[in-house]
Amino acid sequence: MATRAAQSCNSMDEVRVEIDRIDEQMVDLICERFAYVDRAWQLKNSPADATVPWRIQQVIDKVRARAEKNALPPELVEALWRQMIGWFIQYEEENLRKEPKA
């Protein structure tokens, strides 16, 4: 299906179709990101390794800069990423507790 620019939508149905299309792509990208997070915990040694403050800040800085470049509120992107990163850290910690390295 061809995509439609936001300003070309003439009805709420058209807007919703495009939002649904984007949501599908976002879930697919989060799924891809999750595969790397899943691998990351396997390469770490303890639950303490799940939280890497300098890396978290690096990621936040990058996504905020990309948001600003695209005229998207950086506060929105930061809030979304912090929520996602927090969930991933918890996931890593739980898995590292279950399967501690020797």
Side-chain angles (χ1 to χ4, degrees):
M1 176 190 301
T3 62
R4 182 188 309 264
Q7 294 303 318
S8 297
C9 292
N10 296 311
S11 70
M12 285 304 301
D13 286 340
E14 290 177 352
V15 168
R16 289 180 180 127
V17 164
E18 294 306 315
I19 288 173
D20 291 347
R21 176 187 58 77
I22 292 165
D23 287 348
E24 286 180 15
Q25 292 175 351
M26 289 173 66
V27 169
D28 291 346
L29 288 171
I30 292 169
C31 182
E32 183 179 354
R33 192 181 198 284
F34 178 78
Y36 289 99
V37 170
D38 198 43
R39 181 61 182 141
W41 79 261
Q42 297 169 28
L43 298 171
K44 295 177 180 180
N45 295 314
S46 76
D49 296 336
T51 302
V52 183
W54 68 265
R55 177 61 180 148
I56 294 167
Q57 192 58 53
Q58 182 184 56
V59 170
I60 296 300
D61 291 346
K62 286 180 182 183
V63 297
R64 283 184 63 92
R66 184 153 181 94
E68 289 172 357
K69 178 182 170 191
N70 288 291
L72 182 67
E75 300 82 8
L76 169 63
V77 172
E78 180 174 350
L80 292 169
W81 254 257
R82 285 197 184 277
Q83 181 71 30
M84 182 171 57
I85 289 168
W87 192 95
F88 287 146
I89 288 170
Q90 183 177 358
Y91 174 82
E92 287 187 16
E93 289 171 341
E94 289 172 4
N95 280 287
L96 285 160
R97 276 193 214 74
K98 285 191 260 184
E99 296 186 30
K101 304 288 170 57

